[in-house]
Amino acid sequence: MQQKTLFGHPIGLFILFFTELWERFSFYGMRAILVLYLTAAATGDNPGLGWDNASALELYGTYTMFVYLMSIPGGILADRWLGQKKSVMLGGLLIILGQFVLAIDSITAFYTGLVLIISGVGALKPNISTMVGGLYRAGDIRRDSGFTIFYIGINIGAFSAPLLVGYFGEVIDWHLGFSLAGFGMILGQIVYVWGGKYLQGIGESPKRSAEHKEVMAKPLSKIEKERMVVLLLSFLIMIVFWAAYEQAGGFMNLYAKQVVDREVFGYEIPASFLQSLHAFYVIILGVPMAAFWLWWKRKGYEASAIFKMGFGTIVMGLGFMALVGAAYEVSVMALEKASLYWLLLSYLLHVVGELSSSPVALSFITKLAPAKYASFSMGAYFAVTGLGNKLAGIIGEQAEKSGPLEVFLGVSIFCFLFGALLLVFVKRLKLLTHGAEEDTDE
Ligand code: GLN
């Protein structure tokens, strides 16, 4: 394991940071224009495909679900055959290819491009996250903060992409937008190849040796099995978290556009700008939140990953309570529009919840998963977030029918209940982790 550090972390972390930044730039850039491209009129200056809203949203939901579900085969590919390092490389190449195929103006190219991107993200996303964990030895106290830094990189990509790819795609040419996303991924790939020297020994291919076969064939020990049980239970709760969070791109996007008063100092903020708000909050709050949790832990309070995930889900519930405030203004107080402050407050709470659970979950997985299922477990987590995405779409459809007030309240209560469930069982679940979270240098 290489020893050189930057800001107290292995240099490899920053290689993975920039690679993932550009992968997310490409992913969120594409995501920002997908529905707009599908629904844009098929004739005119910058023609789209001319689909209706419902079909476009359906494809969007299926796409975002598959992109994450493919993390399972992506993880298995790394565990069994390629190792994480090569899988990330392969994933990056598939994404680049996919984005440029999308840049071709034909419906066959469109579907081929989507399939390539889905496969590419599946091979890249879980495995690059597992590699971050591989930079730290068991018990290294820097692991959680390493994941926070990595998460900030993700969100720099997620913040800038809708603005840049959105602008070039929507205003100039959709296909230019897609290829810009492809150029982003090329940059990521260049950083990754150049930085390979800082990643020696991390995520290498499992040797097709008798030893590797033996490790893969050996059944899990009792401790390993119990750790897997904790992981799977915590994943179930995270479905609720992501189903709430991912409203942002779908239903909340429309809600912001149609119901929220977005006028500030006489200027109306475009609804799509609010799509960058979560990522903006993550960039601003990532370091203070990590510092807060460290302080909390040093004070001797409960600071296990399970606790933080439960806490994060409850704060997500509070975020939806703020939206209840917005819906109340419109449906009960009969104001024409809901105040923007509710949305700003709600998204802030979503991100406090996110920073308490999401980077923490990634780090937790790399501590708990048995070696032979390292990438598979990460893939399973992303698959769960994919199901959360799909569920978010279903909830959004429901909100369209039954009205937002009831749905916001319902989501909020669900988050409170599921978050509380984790908090209630935190001690028992911790026992089942068999000390996997103990730091050695404290
Ligand atoms: N926003 C984060 C990312 O893009 C988390 C997504 C997720 O876990 N589904 O990586």
Side-chain angles (χ1 to χ4, degrees):
M1 188 172 294
Q2 52 83 29
Q3 292 303 321
K4 272 197 186 167
T5 60
L6 185 66
F7 304 121
H9 285 270
I11 294 185
L13 175 65
F14 298 93
I15 305 300
L16 300 177
F17 174 101
F18 282 108
T19 309
E20 178 63 344
L21 186 161
W22 287 113
E23 185 270 326
R24 291 286 94 184
F25 176 90
S26 136
F27 175 74
Y28 283 104
M30 146 81 185
R31 197 177 99 145
I33 58 173
L34 182 60
V35 175
L36 301 178
Y37 167 66
L38 292 174
T39 52
T43 50
D45 273 352
N46 186 15
L49 296 185
W51 290 18
D52 60 66
N53 277 1
S55 322
L57 282 174
E58 199 183 326
L59 181 87
Y60 173 83
T62 310
Y63 166 74
T64 44
M65 179 179 70
F66 271 112
V67 111
Y68 285 120
L69 283 186
M70 277 303 279
S71 292
I72 292 192
I76 295 176
L77 176 77
D79 284 339
R80 296 211 150 250
W81 297 287
L82 288 189
Q84 292 119 21
K85 197 185 246 172
K86 285 193 189 140
S87 306
V88 169
M89 178 78 93
L90 173 69
L93 290 174
L94 289 173
I95 294 171
I96 294 170
L97 202 64
Q99 296 287 11
F100 286 111
V101 169
L102 279 187
I104 302 169
D105 188 6
S106 107
I107 193 75
T108 320
F110 176 71
Y111 283 112
T112 313
L114 286 191
V115 170
L116 285 167
I117 294 175
I118 287 172
S119 319
V121 175
L124 192 151
K125 177 90 169 137
N127 295 318
I128 198 166
S129 314
T130 310
M131 283 177 80
V132 174
L135 294 167
Y136 305 93
R137 284 174 209 280
D140 189 328
I141 195 177
R142 298 170 305 167
R143 182 185 297 256
D144 281 8
S145 56
F147 270 100
T148 302
I149 294 172
F150 180 70
Y151 209 72
I152 291 175
I154 286 178
N155 283 279
I156 295 175
F159 171 74
S160 48
L163 304 177
L164 282 169
V165 176
Y167 174 79
F168 283 100
E170 197 177 350
V171 180
I172 303 177
D173 186 323
W174 300 112
H175 304 285
L176 184 64
F178 293 133
S179 34
L180 190 65
F183 279 115
M185 193 60 238
I186 289 182
L187 282 179
Q189 204 70 347
I190 291 174
V191 173
Y192 189 66
V193 171
W194 172 82
K197 53 181 178 278
Y198 297 108
L199 294 167
Q200 271 163 22
I202 313 290
E204 301 295 355
S205 333
K207 309 238 167 20
R208 308 296 303 142
S209 61
E211 196 192 336
H212 173 250
K213 280 197 192 120
E214 201 183 305
V215 171
M216 296 307 281
K218 201 170 147 201
L220 294 181
S221 68
K222 183 166 176 279
I223 291 185
E224 286 175 324
K225 274 192 196 145
E226 292 189 353
R227 286 178 172 169
M228 282 301 268
V229 168
V230 180
L231 275 184
L232 295 177
L233 285 176
S234 64
F235 288 179
L236 285 181
I237 307 283
M238 291 305 280
I239 295 188
V240 177
F241 179 89
W242 289 111
Y245 184 94
E246 296 291 353
Q247 298 294 323
F251 181 72
M252 286 312 303
N253 200 1
L254 294 175
Y255 191 76
K257 191 166 174 88
Q258 291 157 8
V259 184
V260 175
D261 175 10
R262 285 169 286 108
E263 199 171 303
V264 179
F265 301 123
Y267 171 76
E268 182 162 73
I269 306 172
S272 61
F273 276 28
L274 295 168
Q275 287 299 300
S276 284
L277 196 57
H278 282 90
F280 175 74
Y281 279 140
V282 171
I283 297 166
I284 303 292
L285 294 178
V287 172
M289 278 293 293
F292 165 78
W293 282 116
L294 213 56
W295 170 84
W296 179 262
K297 183 173 179 177
R298 295 220 158 103
K299 282 267 171 196
Y301 300 131
E302 175 61 54
S304 58
I306 298 280
F307 175 83
K308 291 182 197 167
M309 286 185 212
F311 173 87
T313 309
I314 290 177
V315 177
M316 171 58 75
L318 284 178
F320 269 82
M321 270 298 170
L323 293 176
V324 169
Y328 185 85
E329 277 187 349
V330 177
S331 58
V332 181
M333 291 164 68
L335 298 187
E336 201 181 317
K337 292 234 157 168
S339 159
L340 180 65
Y341 296 117
W342 291 117
L343 202 76
L344 299 183
L345 174 67
S346 167
Y347 284 11
L348 177 75
L349 291 165
H350 288 186
V351 169
V352 171
E354 178 183 10
L355 283 168
S356 304
S357 21
S358 179
V360 173
L362 300 182
S363 178
F364 188 55
I365 295 163
T366 65
K367 289 176 196 169
L368 251 73
K372 77 174 192 177
Y373 291 138
S375 292
F376 164 77
S377 306
M378 192 62 86
Y381 171 69
F382 283 116
V384 154
T385 73
L387 295 179
N389 263 282
K390 187 71 192 163
L391 200 56
I394 296 170
I395 296 171
E397 274 170 43
Q398 188 56 42
E400 284 281 356
K401 282 190 218 131
S402 63
L405 184 64
E406 290 82 353
V407 171
F408 291 157
L409 197 61
V411 172
S412 182
I413 291 172
F414 256 91
C415 288
F416 288 142
L417 284 179
F418 277 79
L421 207 63
L422 270 187
L423 296 193
V424 167
F425 288 108
V426 79
K427 287 225 162 62
R428 283 190 201 181
L429 290 172
K430 247 173 76 176
L431 279 183
L432 293 179
T433 67
H434 297 276
E437 280 201 89
E438 273 153 32
D439 300 320
T440 47
D441 52 350
E442 260 207 331

